[in-house]
Amino acid sequence: MTKIDWQKEVDSRKDDLLKDLFSLLEINSERDDSLATDDAPVGPGPKAALLKMLSLGDRDGFVTKNVENIAGHIEYGEGDETLGIFAHMDVVPAGSGWESDPYKPEIRDGKVYARGASDDKGPSIAAYYAMKIIKDLGLPVSKKIRFVVGSDEESSWQDMDRYFAVEEAPDFGFSPDAEFPIINGEKGNNTVRVLTEGTNGEALVLNSFKAGLRENMVPESAKAVLTAKSDEEAAKIEVEFFSFVEAHPVTGEVKRNGKEITLEVVGRSAHGASPQLGINAATTLARFLNTLALEKGAKAFVNSGDLVHTDFYGKNLGIDFKDEKMGELTMNAGLFDFEDGQEENFITLNFRYPQGTTPDVLEKGVQKALGEDVKAQKSDRDEKPHYVPMDDPLVETLLSVYEEHTGNPGFEQVIGGGTFGRLLKRGVAFGAQFPGAVDTMHQANEFMAVDDILRATVIYADAIYRLVK
């Protein structure tokens, strides 16, 4: 049998691959519940990107299926077993700080810049083209290949809930939504909401405190509006605020109108699974506000935010935990919402937890640490820790392909980020970020190197074919 030159096949399709990638990146596929309808369950953007991806499958002669404009699949081959490849078209909000329009993709210095370039449209198109090459070459397969496309991975996974309500799960598979050489373990994922009353004392009033775009993103900016007893007190707070900002790795801005004063802090966003890589503007602002004479619910709110400042591993809350195989628990304070008089005010603490602890333990620990002035409430949706052993044939095959194409040793990894790989008992995440590459997922100026996209396509094509031939 003639050996297939996967690199040659990928190189010959480079221009088409990048053209199709750009067509996906140009779609703003942020979830928008304010525009959600029965026809667009998580908003028009994710729907548009999903339909575009499925249209590529139609164009290339695959069997496609659209599940209620929230998920779908592109399918090839026949067989008693099905290999699932799980990708997603939704993206986290672009946020600020971009040097170019996040939805007008550009190639600069050999890198594709756009929201979704590395998470997950770049890796998705790489895996799709890998499947396309197998079809184009008419290679014999003994199993079905199903490229499953989601549109709500960055939020609540409604897409996969709906998809699996009407479709059978593949037997094994991977998600091109993480790192090489492989991710065969993922920590559990649960969010504990810290609830406080929207009350104030008679002196200094916290009118509002808003921060964060998603539970799984480190808040880049935070804003609080206060009403002081006097103009003089407001002026004093302004001076103290600027002194505070100078002592911390953030920038700050003040707007003052008599007794009313608006404080804004800007830090640096990062993926919620790695909160230590960001600078949390919300907890930083809470630390400052906790030095002021706030009372009642407002005091409980800022005190909670202050206590979790730089507490990436839950040590201040007494819930830190480490497992030998899965590593440390991490915690991201992602959303802050307080308004004077509002019934339910909250801070979200998103936990990525290893085997050995549970959401019940986390909820009780948060409650104990923050006290009776708040209510800790764990999420009903819980993603439990997931692990596929190294001796599983799926893991062995994927690592073997990676090693052959890179010359580097394969090794197992456990991450805090949750991928669609965990949807299957024999499911992993496989690429597309290479070791040593800069991780810009969920950050401003997200990019993926063109060469890395093409290298990933080569690896995916060889791996998929070995798994199904």
Side-chain angles (χ1 to χ4, degrees):
M1 180 178 174
T2 304
K3 183 175 175 63
I4 301 165
D5 188 340
W6 297 110
Q7 187 68 58
K8 177 183 176 182
E9 297 298 335
V10 171
D11 289 343
S12 70
R13 294 166 174 81
K14 174 183 175 181
D15 291 344
D16 290 340
L17 184 154
L18 290 175
K19 181 180 178 182
D20 286 341
L21 173 57
F22 272 47
S23 73
L24 294 172
L25 293 172
E26 288 166 353
I27 300 171
N28 179 340
S29 51
E30 299 173 14
R31 175 171 173 163
D32 189 344
D33 291 337
S34 69
L35 297 176
T37 64
D38 290 342
D39 188 56
V42 288
K47 172 189 171 182
L50 169 68
L51 296 183
K52 181 62 182 179
M53 187 70 241
L54 294 178
S55 77
L56 299 182
D58 289 331
R59 178 199 67 189
D60 295 330
F62 289 101
V63 175
T64 65
K65 182 172 184 178
N66 178 357
V67 178
E68 300 175 10
N69 290 335
I70 196 169
H73 66 236
I74 300 169
E75 202 168 71
Y76 176 68
E78 295 294 336
D80 294 333
E81 288 187 285
T82 299
L83 164 67
I85 303 166
F86 289 83
H88 69 89
M89 292 294 107
D90 59 308
V91 296
V92 297
S96 59
W98 286 76
E99 295 176 6
S100 57
D101 189 323
Y103 296 109
K104 290 183 180 177
E106 295 181 3
I107 295 179
R108 303 196 304 270
D109 300 323
K111 305 178 183 73
V112 179
Y113 284 84
R115 176 57 91 216
S118 60
D119 186 15
D120 182 41
K121 294 175 182 178
S124 295
I125 208 71
Y128 173 74
Y129 262 76
M131 178 180 168
K132 181 179 184 302
I133 289 170
I134 292 170
K135 178 180 179 297
D136 288 348
L137 297 180
L139 299 177
V141 298
S142 65
K143 301 179 180 68
K144 188 178 293 184
I145 308 170
R146 181 178 295 168
F147 185 85
V148 182
V149 189
S151 66
D152 189 36
E153 192 272 349
E154 298 291 4
S155 297
S156 59
W157 290 26
Q158 288 184 37
D159 48 359
M160 292 300 104
D161 288 344
R162 189 60 204 141
Y163 182 82
F164 284 115
V166 298
E167 294 291 326
E168 288 188 9
D171 297 282
F172 61 102
F174 68 87
S175 176
D177 189 22
E179 305 167 13
F180 287 122
I182 203 166
I183 304 294
N184 58 314
E186 298 183 12
K187 296 176 186 177
N189 188 337
N190 194 282
T191 295
V192 175
R193 287 162 63 94
V194 176
L195 307 174
T196 72
E197 296 180 346
T199 53
N200 276 279
E202 296 181 0
L204 183 64
V205 172
L206 178 62
N207 299 311
S208 65
F209 187 129
K210 307 284 183 179
L213 298 172
R214 289 281 191 275
E215 292 178 1
N216 62 348
M217 295 177 70
V218 175
E220 178 185 58
S221 62
K223 181 184 291 187
V225 180
L226 300 156
T227 300
K229 290 185 298 182
S230 64
D231 294 359
E232 291 75 20
E233 184 186 22
K236 181 173 179 287
I237 291 173
E238 179 177 4
V239 171
E240 292 173 348
F241 175 72
F242 280 125
S243 177
F244 175 87
V245 166
E246 287 180 4
H248 291 78
V250 296
T251 58
E253 183 177 331
V254 174
K255 293 180 181 177
R256 191 156 57 86
N257 182 16
K259 293 186 293 184
E260 185 176 278
I261 183 168
T262 300
L263 309 176
E264 186 167 6
V265 168
V266 176
R268 184 177 70 240
S269 186
H271 196 298
S274 304
Q276 71 276 13
L277 300 181
I279 299 173
N280 195 313
T283 60
T284 304
L285 181 54
R287 170 144 293 189
F288 171 73
L289 294 177
N290 205 30
T291 66
L292 306 179
L294 292 168
E295 300 175 19
K296 299 186 177 179
K299 177 65 174 178
F301 186 90
V302 300
N303 183 64
S304 298
D306 182 13
L307 189 60
V308 300
H309 181 59
T310 68
D311 188 25
F312 309 121
Y313 307 105
K315 293 181 179 180
N316 293 349
L317 300 179
I319 51 176
D320 53 311
F321 186 85
K322 185 174 182 178
D323 173 72
E324 184 177 346
K325 184 174 288 292
M326 288 194 155
E328 291 181 293
L329 168 150
T330 62
M331 178 183 71
N332 177 56
L335 296 175
F336 286 64
D337 190 308
F338 180 94
E339 286 191 24
D340 184 38
Q342 183 172 265
E343 185 173 340
E344 188 173 277
N345 305 273
F346 63 86
I347 298 171
T348 63
L349 303 178
N350 180 236
F351 292 97
R352 310 301 171 104
Y353 65 94
Q355 55 195 6
T357 189
T358 68
D360 284 338
V361 170
L362 301 180
E363 180 187 64
K364 291 175 182 176
V366 171
Q367 185 67 68
K368 180 179 180 181
L370 297 182
E372 60 184 17
D373 291 332
V374 310
K375 180 181 179 182
Q377 185 179 75
K378 72 180 189 300
S379 173
D380 290 335
R381 185 182 185 93
D382 178 49
E383 298 170 16
K384 300 187 185 310
H386 173 77
Y387 182 74
V388 181
M390 285 285 282
D391 59 1
D392 187 288
L394 169 67
V395 176
E396 290 181 337
T397 300
L398 295 178
L399 285 179
S400 177
V401 173
Y402 171 81
E403 290 174 345
E404 288 183 28
H405 284 278
T406 66
N408 297 319
F411 50 87
E412 72 173 348
Q413 294 184 98
V414 177
I415 62 169
T419 76
F420 281 162
R422 72 189 305 141
L423 290 165
L424 305 178
K425 184 176 181 180
R426 294 183 61 221
V428 299
F430 186 52
Q433 181 175 298
F434 287 90
V438 178
D439 183 359
T440 56
M441 296 182 191
H442 293 206
Q443 299 175 41
N445 302 305
E446 178 183 349
F447 70 81
M448 187 168 182
V450 173
D451 286 348
D452 284 354
I453 296 172
L454 300 180
R455 277 206 299 165
T457 308
V458 170
I459 291 172
Y460 288 146
D462 194 359
I464 293 169
Y465 188 50
R466 291 196 204 185
L467 289 168
V468 300
K469 68 181 181 179

